[in-house]
Amino acid sequence: MANPNIVNVSTILANTAAISAGATATTIVANGAGSNSVYKIDGLYCANNDNASSYNITIDLYRSSTAYNVASNISIPTGATLDILSKQLWLVEGDTLRATANTASKITVVCSYEIIS
């Protein structure tokens, strides 16, 4: 089942993921193939942990071997936090939400989401 019908759900599980963004694409949340679930991304925040320099972040939705940018090469000022989403984002089976920073370990990404099945 690639895209579950969410009208008749049996469970909704709340979750939060937190990662340190790498210089290559780092998984934030992955909805595995065959999960029989859809993931509703409710919040996505990127925080610059450095108190001396700005760093850039790219967030993408990885689907069927293709990366689709949600936010592309956005600069986060020293000590600032960026709210990436204005509305929810949905991950169907096989989708992965990823982060790439221009310098590893300088940006923390926190994502709140629901697993609906």
Side-chain angles (χ1 to χ4, degrees):
M1 178 187 315
N3 196 0
N5 179 348
I6 60 173
V7 172
N8 297 313
V9 301
S10 60
T11 59
I12 300 174
L13 303 173
N15 288 276
T16 300
I19 63 143
S20 180
T24 58
T26 306
T27 297
I28 305 165
V29 176
N31 184 1
S35 70
N36 292 320
S37 300
V38 64
Y39 288 22
K40 180 183 171 193
I41 309 299
D42 296 313
L44 185 61
Y45 307 94
C46 298
N48 181 344
N49 302 318
D50 194 89
N51 56 8
S53 299
S54 296
Y55 293 97
N56 296 352
I57 190 76
T58 295
I59 304 293
D60 69 58
L61 170 66
Y62 190 70
R63 174 180 287 167
S64 301
S65 302
T66 302
Y68 299 95
N69 286 341
V70 175
S72 183
N73 204 33
I74 297 177
S75 180
I76 303 176
T78 302
T81 299
L82 177 66
D83 183 354
I84 298 291
L85 298 178
S86 60
K87 301 284 184 189
Q88 67 269 8
L89 180 71
W90 299 87
L91 303 183
V92 296
E93 290 181 348
D95 285 353
T96 302
L97 191 61
R98 307 183 309 174
T100 307
N102 65 323
T103 303
S105 303
K106 296 295 185 178
I107 298 177
T108 298
V109 180
V110 176
C111 177
S112 64
Y113 64 103
E114 302 167 39
I115 300 174
I116 303 170
S117 58

